[in-house]
Amino acid sequence: MPTVEYRTLGKAGLKVSVPILGAMSFGSSKWASWVLDEEPSIQIMKAAWDLGINTFDTANVYSNGESERLIAKFIKKEETMKALHDLVQSGKVRYIGASSMRCWQFAMLNEVAAKNGWTKFVSMQDEYSLLYREDEREMHAYCKHNGIGVIPWSPLAAGVLARPIGTETTRVNSVNGAVPAKTLIGGDATIVNRVEELAKKKNCKMGQIALAWVGAKVASPIVGVNSVQRLQESIVKGIELTPEEMTYLEEPYEPKVVRGHP
């Protein structure tokens, strides 16, 4: 069984698992056909905890809040997570993070906090993958300069980077995917093909190549999974890319219209 590693989130001192478990696929199949119901969702969360994954991502838009409710139910159900339950019950929060916004907005919020002696953000959760790198220009540079950890969502571009072009899946055919999975523009197709090429060369999964690339750039990616097997595959310790391979994957990228925020 693979085990995870932990990385410090910027200068905060907080350690997060690599990867972070994304809970977008946990909730109710009534919301979308690719979303898992309670029993398999709890099973995956238990497997993640047993593997050492201690960082979960959720949002109230996932299955209209059902994802959040399932995570709360999991916390209450596991004796080994009693310490986390106590923290939730106490109402105390140790760190705060922000998600998907313009760099100037993020900087302004932290500046206001600094001037008033308030708690500043320690992390930025933004969309980032080999197929969407728009935050590299300003946001990631700002975060690096200020010691803010980056924990991006959709590192596999809604699964597009996890399988050869043309592969049909329930998620790809769904209108509720996190990114427009069917749309490959500019150098996207070339990038996906190169991910497939390197996966064959290194005898691993395509998604592991994409996650290894993201992992070399940020603190830890948020990975959504729909099975224990996919969970285990998201742990990519031992799969490393050379500088030449990193460049090979990045070179075809073409700028895209910024999305996900105003």
Side-chain angles (χ1 to χ4, degrees), residues 152-182:
W153 54 273
S154 199
L156 299 179
V160 176
L161 289 165
R163 57 189 65 88
I165 293 174
T167 304
E168 291 291 320
T169 68
T170 303
R171 177 76 181 272
V172 169
N173 291 329
S174 171
V175 297
N176 288 324
V179 297
K182 293 182 179 179

Side-chain angles (χ1 to χ4, degrees), residues 16-249:
V16 297
S17 58
V18 182
I20 294 165
L21 181 63
M24 185 178 186
S25 59
F26 303 159
S28 172
S29 57
K30 295 178 181 179
W31 185 73
S33 58
W34 51 269
V35 175
L36 301 176
D37 290 315
E38 179 176 327
E39 185 175 348
S41 298
I42 295 291
Q43 181 184 8
I44 291 174
M45 284 188 271
K46 175 62 166 61
W49 184 256
D50 290 343
L51 289 168
I53 295 176
N54 65 358
T55 317
F56 290 45
D57 166 73
T58 187
N60 60 359
V61 295
Y62 298 166
S63 295
N64 194 31
E66 188 62 23
S67 174
E68 292 181 327
R69 288 187 284 272
L70 284 184
I71 289 180
K73 187 169 185 177
F74 174 64
I75 291 174
K76 292 178 181 178
K77 189 175 180 180
E78 281 290 296
E79 284 186 7
T80 55
M81 296 185 72
K82 182 61 164 61
L84 291 178
H85 175 64
D86 289 342
L87 288 175
V88 172
Q89 290 296 99
S90 71
K92 296 179 180 178
V93 176
R94 294 177 60 193
Y95 302 96
I96 60 173
S99 179
S100 295
M101 63 181 69
R102 297 281 184 176
C103 184
W104 68 264
Q105 295 171 315
F106 191 44
M108 180 180 67
L109 291 171
N110 270 336
E111 182 181 355
V112 170
K115 285 183 177 179
N116 290 277
W118 299 334
T119 301
K120 295 195 293 185
F121 292 112
V122 303
S123 67
M124 165 48 61
Q125 177 187 326
D126 58 355
E127 181 182 357
Y128 186 55
S129 72
L130 276 165
L131 300 186
Y132 188 81
R133 295 165 48 197
E134 297 310 301
D135 275 5
E136 284 182 346
R137 294 185 181 87
E138 296 184 5
M139 181 62 81
H140 288 190
Y142 170 82
C143 289
K144 183 177 181 179
H145 178 75
N146 290 280
I148 296 169
V150 176
I151 51 174
W153 54 273
S154 199
L156 299 179
V160 176
L161 289 165
R163 57 189 65 88
I165 293 174
T167 304
E168 291 291 320
T169 68
T170 303
R171 177 76 181 272
V172 169
N173 291 329
S174 171
V175 297
N176 288 324
V179 297
K182 293 182 179 179
T183 305
L184 293 176
I185 60 176
D188 289 355
T190 301
I191 293 171
V192 175
N193 288 334
R194 291 186 179 187
V195 169
E196 182 181 9
E197 176 189 336
L198 286 180
K200 291 178 179 177
K201 175 183 174 182
K202 295 180 180 291
N203 193 29
C204 65
K205 300 291 186 180
M206 287 178 62
Q208 292 177 315
I209 295 294
L211 290 177
W213 179 85
V214 173
K217 299 278 190 175
V218 303
S220 181
I222 299 169
V223 181
V225 299
N226 59 8
S227 69
V228 174
Q229 178 185 345
R230 292 286 184 267
L231 174 66
Q232 294 172 348
E233 291 172 358
S234 70
I235 301 171
V236 295
K237 279 199 312 184
I239 300 176
E240 297 182 0
L241 300 174
T242 67
E244 293 75 19
E245 288 170 337
M246 294 282 288
T247 300
Y248 183 62
L249 291 172

